[in-house]
Amino acid sequence: AQKITQTQPGMFVQEKEAVTLDCTYDTSDPSYGLFWYKQPSSGEMIFLIYQGSYDQQNATEGRYSLNFQKARKSANLVISASQLGDSAMYFCAMSNGGSQGNLIFGKGTKLSVKP
Amino acid sequence: SQTIHQWPATLVQPVGSPLSLECTVEGTSNPNLYWYRQAAGRGLQLLFYSVGIGQISSEVPQNLSASRPQDRQFILSSKKLLLSDSGFYLCAWSVDGRYDYGYTFGSGTRLTVV
């Protein structure tokens, strides 16, 4: 069965510093996708970044990058130059490769950025 | 551009009352549609998904049901709410056959059953 694990319930980072949020996954499907979403206190889920299982390069989107280590089944999110507005819950998710594209989510990490 | 609308934003319902949450998508056709629930401080749990009109798949046995009467409309219902139905409900859509596009979520409905 597929599984996403986020072992950090909460993280603190100083403004302008970089932070890494951990995510490990388990799947037997050779084709899958990995996602990170941000959920601010308002509750909306905001898509941040995507990594395909066959992608050779680590995905980057502005200040977000995904450190994809396939052999270790990890997909950590790196946020560079943290801003106060980055304070939120962050969820790692995986799609199962089927046409339905169903996403399963980890339990999330609450990131707090200190001024 | 594609947009997704979900309402109401908040809802307080007594135990045993019915529920109807509605989600509509604009700007796309034949989307895959999803209902997720998020308990307080927890991750998202997939409740239902639909790949077409009238096609509903349930992921978790519960007293909730879903319907898709139109291509871009997805409804979550219950005949009698339980206290355990409280949570944050999110509707989402994705492009059919393109799991790599991820999901676009609605703004959510915060349901409190009292």
Side-chain angles (χ1 to χ4, degrees):
Chain A
Q2 295 182 316
K3 187 178 179 181
I4 291 279
T5 302
Q6 294 180 254
T7 58
Q8 306 154 313
M11 289 279 288
F12 288 92
V13 64
Q14 202 68 36
E15 192 178 9
K16 300 182 183 179
E17 292 185 349
V19 63
T20 298
L21 306 183
D22 294 342
C23 173
T24 58
Y25 62 92
D26 190 19
T27 181
S28 57
D29 194 332
S31 179
Y32 52 89
L34 296 158
F35 304 79
W36 278 92
Y37 284 85
K38 172 184 178 181
Q39 187 180 41
S41 57
S42 59
E44 60 186 309
M45 294 289 283
I46 302 168
F47 166 76
L48 296 179
I49 197 167
Y50 164 80
Q51 179 84 43
S53 58
Y54 294 121
D55 293 343
Q56 297 296 312
Q57 303 284 340
N58 285 343
T60 60
E61 289 287 347
R63 294 187 298 111
Y64 304 107
S65 60
L66 198 152
N67 185 359
F68 182 46
Q69 298 188 43
K70 196 170 183 177
R72 297 179 60 185
K73 292 189 175 179
S74 73
N76 299 340
L77 177 70
V78 180
I79 304 175
S80 63
S82 297
Q83 302 172 356
L84 295 178
D86 293 334
S87 294
M89 284 290 290
Y90 288 81
F91 291 96
C92 181
M94 176 169 61
S95 63
N96 63 6
S99 62
Q100 296 93 341
N102 296 349
L103 287 183
I104 59 168
F105 287 81
K107 293 185 177 180
T109 295
K110 184 174 183 178
L111 177 66
S112 299
V113 181
K114 297 187 288 186
Chain B
S1 63
Q2 301 93 351
T3 56
I4 179 168
H5 303 280
Q6 189 179 342
W7 66 93
T10 60
L11 193 59
V12 180
Q13 291 285 96
V15 169
S17 64
L19 173 73
S20 181
L21 302 181
E22 189 163 344
C23 171
T24 59
V25 180
E26 296 178 357
T28 187
S29 58
N30 196 32
N32 289 348
L33 296 171
Y34 309 86
W35 279 111
Y36 278 84
R37 177 170 61 199
Q38 184 179 26
R42 303 293 299 275
L44 276 70
Q45 180 186 37
L46 178 64
L47 300 176
F48 301 95
Y49 68 89
S50 172
V51 299
I53 296 174
Q55 300 178 61
I56 309 294
S57 296
S58 174
E59 289 292 304
V60 181
Q62 63 228 316
N63 70 322
L64 299 171
S65 62
S67 62
R68 184 170 178 174
Q70 300 180 46
D71 181 46
R72 289 169 287 178
Q73 184 184 29
F74 206 24
I75 298 172
L76 183 69
S77 304
S78 174
K79 292 182 179 178
K80 290 185 178 182
L81 284 168
L82 306 172
L83 287 174
S84 57
D85 292 324
S86 293
F88 189 55
Y89 288 81
L90 284 157
C91 180
W93 74 274
S94 68
V95 176
D96 182 43
R98 292 303 304 268
Y99 67 91
D100 55 326
Y101 283 10
Y103 290 10
T104 300
F105 284 87
S107 54
T109 295
R110 204 166 297 278
L111 171 66
T112 304
V113 182
V114 296

mmCIF file of all heavy atoms in Angstrom, chain B residues 72-103:
data_model
loop_
_atom_site.group_PDB
_atom_site.id
_atom_site.type_symbol
_atom_site.label_atom_id
_atom_site.label_comp_id
_atom_site.label_asym_id
_atom_site.label_seq_id
_atom_site.Cartn_x
_atom_site.Cartn_y
_atom_site.Cartn_z
ATOM 1 N N ARG B 72 -19.584 19.207 -14.142
ATOM 2 C CA ARG B 72 -18.719 20.036 -13.310
ATOM 3 C C ARG B 72 -19.319 20.326 -11.942
ATOM 4 O O ARG B 72 -19.001 21.331 -11.314
ATOM 5 C CB ARG B 72 -18.403 21.335 -14.058
ATOM 6 C CG ARG B 72 -17.469 21.121 -15.240
ATOM 7 C CD ARG B 72 -17.368 22.332 -16.126
ATOM 8 N NE ARG B 72 -18.577 22.534 -16.910
ATOM 9 C CZ ARG B 72 -18.756 23.548 -17.745
ATOM 10 N NH1 ARG B 72 -17.826 24.459 -17.877
ATOM 11 N NH2 ARG B 72 -19.868 23.659 -18.424
ATOM 12 N N GLN B 73 -20.198 19.446 -11.490
ATOM 13 C CA GLN B 73 -20.850 19.628 -10.205
ATOM 14 C C GLN B 73 -20.691 18.368 -9.370
ATOM 15 O O GLN B 73 -20.952 17.256 -9.838
ATOM 16 C CB GLN B 73 -22.345 19.940 -10.401
ATOM 17 C CG GLN B 73 -23.084 20.242 -9.116
ATOM 18 C CD GLN B 73 -24.581 20.436 -9.360
ATOM 19 O OE1 GLN B 73 -25.148 19.860 -10.288
ATOM 20 N NE2 GLN B 73 -25.228 21.221 -8.520
ATOM 21 N N PHE B 74 -20.268 18.568 -8.125
ATOM 22 C CA PHE B 74 -20.022 17.447 -7.231
ATOM 23 C C PHE B 74 -20.652 17.778 -5.890
ATOM 24 O O PHE B 74 -20.412 18.863 -5.339
ATOM 25 C CB PHE B 74 -18.513 17.240 -7.074
ATOM 26 C CG PHE B 74 -18.094 15.835 -6.714
ATOM 27 C CD1 PHE B 74 -18.887 14.731 -6.997
ATOM 28 C CD2 PHE B 74 -16.864 15.610 -6.114
ATOM 29 C CE1 PHE B 74 -18.480 13.449 -6.678
ATOM 30 C CE2 PHE B 74 -16.444 14.327 -5.788
ATOM 31 C CZ PHE B 74 -17.257 13.247 -6.080
ATOM 32 N N ILE B 75 -21.474 16.875 -5.389
ATOM 33 C CA ILE B 75 -22.236 17.154 -4.171
ATOM 34 C C ILE B 75 -21.926 16.098 -3.121
ATOM 35 O O ILE B 75 -21.906 14.897 -3.425
ATOM 36 C CB ILE B 75 -23.749 17.183 -4.467
ATOM 37 C CG1 ILE B 75 -24.055 18.306 -5.462
ATOM 38 C CG2 ILE B 75 -24.550 17.372 -3.177
ATOM 39 C CD1 ILE B 75 -25.473 18.301 -5.978
ATOM 40 N N LEU B 76 -21.696 16.550 -1.912
ATOM 41 C CA LEU B 76 -21.483 15.665 -0.770
ATOM 42 C C LEU B 76 -22.704 15.751 0.131
ATOM 43 O O LEU B 76 -23.134 16.854 0.482
ATOM 44 C CB LEU B 76 -20.228 16.080 0.000
ATOM 45 C CG LEU B 76 -19.841 15.198 1.200
ATOM 46 C CD1 LEU B 76 -19.361 13.832 0.714
ATOM 47 C CD2 LEU B 76 -18.741 15.871 2.014
ATOM 48 N N SER B 77 -23.253 14.594 0.508
ATOM 49 C CA SER B 77 -24.504 14.584 1.251
ATOM 50 C C SER B 77 -24.449 13.613 2.422
ATOM 51 O O SER B 77 -23.625 12.698 2.457
ATOM 52 C CB SER B 77 -25.662 14.175 0.334
ATOM 53 O OG SER B 77 -25.751 15.013 -0.788
ATOM 54 N N SER B 78 -25.360 13.864 3.343
ATOM 55 C CA SER B 78 -25.615 12.914 4.409
ATOM 56 C C SER B 78 -27.083 13.024 4.799
ATOM 57 O O SER B 78 -27.643 14.114 4.812
ATOM 58 C CB SER B 78 -24.737 13.188 5.624
ATOM 59 O OG SER B 78 -25.092 12.341 6.707
ATOM 60 N N LYS B 79 -27.679 11.903 5.127
ATOM 61 C CA LYS B 79 -29.086 11.932 5.569
ATOM 62 C C LYS B 79 -29.170 12.279 7.053
ATOM 63 O O LYS B 79 -30.102 12.951 7.495
ATOM 64 C CB LYS B 79 -29.738 10.580 5.302
ATOM 65 C CG LYS B 79 -29.907 10.259 3.832
ATOM 66 C CD LYS B 79 -30.596 8.921 3.635
ATOM 67 C CE LYS B 79 -30.788 8.623 2.154
ATOM 68 N NZ LYS B 79 -31.418 7.287 1.918
ATOM 69 N N LYS B 80 -28.172 11.815 7.831
ATOM 70 C CA LYS B 80 -28.162 12.069 9.273
ATOM 71 C C LYS B 80 -26.729 12.246 9.747
ATOM 72 O O LYS B 80 -25.968 11.277 9.800
ATOM 73 C CB LYS B 80 -28.810 10.910 10.046
ATOM 74 C CG LYS B 80 -30.301 10.780 9.875
ATOM 75 C CD LYS B 80 -30.855 9.682 10.782
ATOM 76 C CE LYS B 80 -32.370 9.588 10.653
ATOM 77 N NZ LYS B 80 -32.943 8.549 11.559
ATOM 78 N N LEU B 81 -26.373 13.445 10.118
ATOM 79 C CA LEU B 81 -25.013 13.730 10.531
ATOM 80 C C LEU B 81 -24.694 13.142 11.910
ATOM 81 O O LEU B 81 -25.549 13.080 12.802
ATOM 82 C CB LEU B 81 -24.777 15.234 10.573
ATOM 83 C CG LEU B 81 -24.599 15.925 9.228
ATOM 84 C CD1 LEU B 81 -24.659 17.440 9.390
ATOM 85 C CD2 LEU B 81 -23.292 15.504 8.577
ATOM 86 N N LEU B 82 -23.436 12.744 12.045
ATOM 87 C CA LEU B 82 -22.901 12.274 13.312
ATOM 88 C C LEU B 82 -21.888 13.312 13.833
ATOM 89 O O LEU B 82 -21.352 14.104 13.049
ATOM 90 C CB LEU B 82 -22.183 10.926 13.132
ATOM 91 C CG LEU B 82 -22.971 9.802 12.475
ATOM 92 C CD1 LEU B 82 -22.055 8.618 12.201
ATOM 93 C CD2 LEU B 82 -24.154 9.390 13.340
ATOM 94 N N LEU B 83 -21.618 13.268 15.123
ATOM 95 C CA LEU B 83 -20.611 14.173 15.674
ATOM 96 C C LEU B 83 -19.264 13.988 14.975
ATOM 97 O O LEU B 83 -18.521 14.951 14.742
ATOM 98 C CB LEU B 83 -20.449 13.933 17.183
ATOM 99 C CG LEU B 83 -21.564 14.421 18.075
ATOM 100 C CD1 LEU B 83 -21.312 13.977 19.517
ATOM 101 C CD2 LEU B 83 -21.719 15.937 18.017
ATOM 102 N N SER B 84 -18.958 12.748 14.620
ATOM 103 C CA SER B 84 -17.670 12.440 13.999
ATOM 104 C C SER B 84 -17.557 12.967 12.569
ATOM 105 O O SER B 84 -16.485 12.891 11.961
ATOM 106 C CB SER B 84 -17.442 10.921 13.983
ATOM 107 O OG SER B 84 -18.503 10.267 13.314
ATOM 108 N N ASP B 85 -18.650 13.495 12.036
ATOM 109 C CA ASP B 85 -18.595 14.088 10.690
ATOM 110 C C ASP B 85 -18.010 15.503 10.708
ATOM 111 O O ASP B 85 -17.760 16.081 9.648
ATOM 112 C CB ASP B 85 -19.991 14.115 10.068
ATOM 113 C CG ASP B 85 -20.510 12.722 9.748
ATOM 114 O OD1 ASP B 85 -19.693 11.857 9.347
ATOM 115 O OD2 ASP B 85 -21.729 12.496 9.910
ATOM 116 N N SER B 86 -17.802 16.045 11.875
ATOM 117 C CA SER B 86 -17.197 17.385 11.970
ATOM 118 C C SER B 86 -15.810 17.373 11.330
ATOM 119 O O SER B 86 -15.056 16.416 11.475
ATOM 120 C CB SER B 86 -17.075 17.822 13.431
ATOM 121 O OG SER B 86 -18.340 18.026 14.011
ATOM 122 N N GLY B 87 -15.506 18.457 10.647
ATOM 123 C CA GLY B 87 -14.191 18.552 10.015
ATOM 124 C C GLY B 87 -14.196 19.599 8.934
ATOM 125 O O GLY B 87 -15.161 20.341 8.752
ATOM 126 N N PHE B 88 -13.100 19.635 8.219
ATOM 127 C CA PHE B 88 -12.927 20.580 7.119
ATOM 128 C C PHE B 88 -13.006 19.781 5.834
ATOM 129 O O PHE B 88 -12.219 18.866 5.612
ATOM 130 C CB PHE B 88 -11.573 21.272 7.273
ATOM 131 C CG PHE B 88 -11.341 22.421 6.358
ATOM 132 C CD1 PHE B 88 -12.232 23.484 6.301
ATOM 133 C CD2 PHE B 88 -10.223 22.469 5.540
ATOM 134 C CE1 PHE B 88 -12.014 24.566 5.457
ATOM 135 C CE2 PHE B 88 -9.991 23.546 4.691
ATOM 136 C CZ PHE B 88 -10.893 24.589 4.655
ATOM 137 N N TYR B 89 -13.973 20.128 4.987
ATOM 138 C CA TYR B 89 -14.227 19.384 3.768
ATOM 139 C C TYR B 89 -13.715 20.182 2.569
ATOM 140 O O TYR B 89 -14.053 21.350 2.389
ATOM 141 C CB TYR B 89 -15.719 19.098 3.601
ATOM 142 C CG TYR B 89 -16.209 18.063 4.584
ATOM 143 C CD1 TYR B 89 -16.519 18.434 5.890
ATOM 144 C CD2 TYR B 89 -16.332 16.724 4.221
ATOM 145 C CE1 TYR B 89 -16.944 17.491 6.814
ATOM 146 C CE2 TYR B 89 -16.760 15.779 5.139
ATOM 147 C CZ TYR B 89 -17.060 16.168 6.431
ATOM 148 O OH TYR B 89 -17.478 15.232 7.350
ATOM 149 N N LEU B 90 -12.928 19.494 1.769
ATOM 150 C CA LEU B 90 -12.321 20.143 0.609
ATOM 151 C C LEU B 90 -12.719 19.408 -0.662
ATOM 152 O O LEU B 90 -12.622 18.188 -0.742
ATOM 153 C CB LEU B 90 -10.802 20.158 0.734
ATOM 154 C CG LEU B 90 -10.222 21.184 1.707
ATOM 155 C CD1 LEU B 90 -8.845 20.752 2.182
ATOM 156 C CD2 LEU B 90 -10.137 22.552 1.044
ATOM 157 N N CYS B 91 -13.141 20.168 -1.629
ATOM 158 C CA CYS B 91 -13.401 19.657 -2.952
ATOM 159 C C CYS B 91 -12.181 19.962 -3.822
ATOM 160 O O CYS B 91 -11.506 20.988 -3.615
ATOM 161 C CB CYS B 91 -14.650 20.327 -3.525
ATOM 162 S SG CYS B 91 -15.101 19.801 -5.180
ATOM 163 N N ALA B 92 -11.897 19.113 -4.772
ATOM 164 C CA ALA B 92 -10.756 19.348 -5.649
ATOM 165 C C ALA B 92 -11.057 18.778 -7.032
ATOM 166 O O ALA B 92 -11.919 17.909 -7.183
ATOM 167 C CB ALA B 92 -9.488 18.715 -5.085
ATOM 168 N N TRP B 93 -10.344 19.285 -8.028
ATOM 169 C CA TRP B 93 -10.474 18.729 -9.359
ATOM 170 C C TRP B 93 -9.087 18.521 -9.953
ATOM 171 O O TRP B 93 -8.109 19.162 -9.553
ATOM 172 C CB TRP B 93 -11.316 19.622 -10.264
ATOM 173 C CG TRP B 93 -10.628 20.887 -10.738
ATOM 174 C CD1 TRP B 93 -10.577 22.081 -10.086
ATOM 175 C CD2 TRP B 93 -9.912 21.056 -11.963
ATOM 176 N NE1 TRP B 93 -9.867 22.991 -10.826
ATOM 177 C CE2 TRP B 93 -9.456 22.406 -11.986
ATOM 178 C CE3 TRP B 93 -9.632 20.230 -13.037
ATOM 179 C CZ2 TRP B 93 -8.716 22.918 -13.053
ATOM 180 C CZ3 TRP B 93 -8.905 20.744 -14.095
ATOM 181 C CH2 TRP B 93 -8.445 22.080 -14.091
ATOM 182 N N SER B 94 -9.012 17.605 -10.897
ATOM 183 C CA SER B 94 -7.771 17.380 -11.628
ATOM 184 C C SER B 94 -8.105 17.066 -13.075
ATOM 185 O O SER B 94 -9.243 16.749 -13.419
ATOM 186 C CB SER B 94 -6.961 16.240 -11.007
ATOM 187 O OG SER B 94 -7.611 14.999 -11.192
ATOM 188 N N VAL B 95 -7.110 17.192 -13.921
ATOM 189 C CA VAL B 95 -7.283 16.896 -15.338
ATOM 190 C C VAL B 95 -7.333 15.383 -15.519
ATOM 191 O O VAL B 95 -6.451 14.663 -15.030
ATOM 192 C CB VAL B 95 -6.129 17.500 -16.159
ATOM 193 C CG1 VAL B 95 -6.259 17.117 -17.625
ATOM 194 C CG2 VAL B 95 -6.096 19.009 -15.985
ATOM 195 N N ASP B 96 -8.349 14.912 -16.201
ATOM 196 C CA ASP B 96 -8.502 13.481 -16.412
ATOM 197 C C ASP B 96 -7.284 12.898 -17.119
ATOM 198 O O ASP B 96 -6.860 13.408 -18.158
ATOM 199 C CB ASP B 96 -9.759 13.219 -17.237
ATOM 200 C CG ASP B 96 -10.003 11.729 -17.440
ATOM 201 O OD1 ASP B 96 -9.854 10.961 -16.475
ATOM 202 O OD2 ASP B 96 -10.317 11.328 -18.571
ATOM 203 N N GLY B 97 -6.718 11.860 -16.532
ATOM 204 C CA GLY B 97 -5.597 11.180 -17.161
ATOM 205 C C GLY B 97 -4.250 11.835 -16.954
ATOM 206 O O GLY B 97 -3.245 11.351 -17.457
ATOM 207 N N ARG B 98 -4.227 12.955 -16.210
ATOM 208 C CA ARG B 98 -2.958 13.648 -16.001
ATOM 209 C C ARG B 98 -2.710 13.806 -14.508
ATOM 210 O O ARG B 98 -2.903 14.880 -13.927
ATOM 211 C CB ARG B 98 -2.948 15.023 -16.684
ATOM 212 C CG ARG B 98 -2.966 14.970 -18.198
ATOM 213 C CD ARG B 98 -1.788 14.161 -18.749
ATOM 214 N NE ARG B 98 -0.505 14.637 -18.308
ATOM 215 C CZ ARG B 98 0.231 15.517 -18.976
ATOM 216 N NH1 ARG B 98 -0.214 16.010 -20.122
ATOM 217 N NH2 ARG B 98 1.417 15.894 -18.508
ATOM 218 N N TYR B 99 -2.276 12.730 -13.883
ATOM 219 C CA TYR B 99 -2.071 12.802 -12.447
ATOM 220 C C TYR B 99 -0.916 13.737 -12.115
ATOM 221 O O TYR B 99 -0.820 14.241 -11.004
ATOM 222 C CB TYR B 99 -1.813 11.421 -11.882
ATOM 223 C CG TYR B 99 -0.501 10.796 -12.323
ATOM 224 C CD1 TYR B 99 0.663 10.972 -11.576
ATOM 225 C CD2 TYR B 99 -0.420 10.036 -13.470
ATOM 226 C CE1 TYR B 99 1.855 10.405 -11.966
ATOM 227 C CE2 TYR B 99 0.772 9.466 -13.871
ATOM 228 C CZ TYR B 99 1.907 9.648 -13.115
ATOM 229 O OH TYR B 99 3.081 9.095 -13.504
ATOM 230 N N ASP B 100 -0.044 13.970 -13.063
ATOM 231 C CA ASP B 100 1.092 14.832 -12.772
ATOM 232 C C ASP B 100 0.702 16.292 -12.642
ATOM 233 O O ASP B 100 1.502 17.112 -12.201
ATOM 234 C CB ASP B 100 2.166 14.671 -13.846
ATOM 235 C CG ASP B 100 1.622 14.908 -15.241
ATOM 236 O OD1 ASP B 100 0.456 14.572 -15.491
ATOM 237 O OD2 ASP B 100 2.375 15.416 -16.085
ATOM 238 N N TYR B 101 -0.511 16.639 -12.990
ATOM 239 C CA TYR B 101 -0.952 18.027 -12.830
ATOM 240 C C TYR B 101 -1.384 18.328 -11.401
ATOM 241 O O TYR B 101 -1.575 19.486 -11.045
ATOM 242 C CB TYR B 101 -2.122 18.335 -13.766
ATOM 243 C CG TYR B 101 -1.734 18.552 -15.207
ATOM 244 C CD1 TYR B 101 -0.458 18.275 -15.664
ATOM 245 C CD2 TYR B 101 -2.649 19.042 -16.128
ATOM 246 C CE1 TYR B 101 -0.092 18.464 -16.978
ATOM 247 C CE2 TYR B 101 -2.305 19.237 -17.446
ATOM 248 C CZ TYR B 101 -1.025 18.951 -17.868
ATOM 249 O OH TYR B 101 -0.686 19.137 -19.173
ATOM 250 N N GLY B 102 -1.561 17.293 -10.611
ATOM 251 C CA GLY B 102 -1.977 17.536 -9.247
ATOM 252 C C GLY B 102 -3.430 17.969 -9.172
ATOM 253 O O GLY B 102 -4.202 17.800 -10.105
ATOM 254 N N TYR B 103 -3.772 18.507 -8.055
ATOM 255 C CA TYR B 103 -5.139 18.937 -7.799
ATOM 256 C C TYR B 103 -5.214 20.458 -7.645
ATOM 257 O O TYR B 103 -4.253 21.085 -7.196
ATOM 258 C CB TYR B 103 -5.645 18.376 -6.475
ATOM 259 C CG TYR B 103 -5.908 16.903 -6.408
ATOM 260 C CD1 TYR B 103 -5.535 16.030 -7.411
ATOM 261 C CD2 TYR B 103 -6.549 16.376 -5.294
ATOM 262 C CE1 TYR B 103 -5.776 14.680 -7.305
ATOM 263 C CE2 TYR B 103 -6.795 15.024 -5.185
ATOM 264 C CZ TYR B 103 -6.414 14.185 -6.190
ATOM 265 O OH TYR B 103 -6.666 12.855 -6.071
#
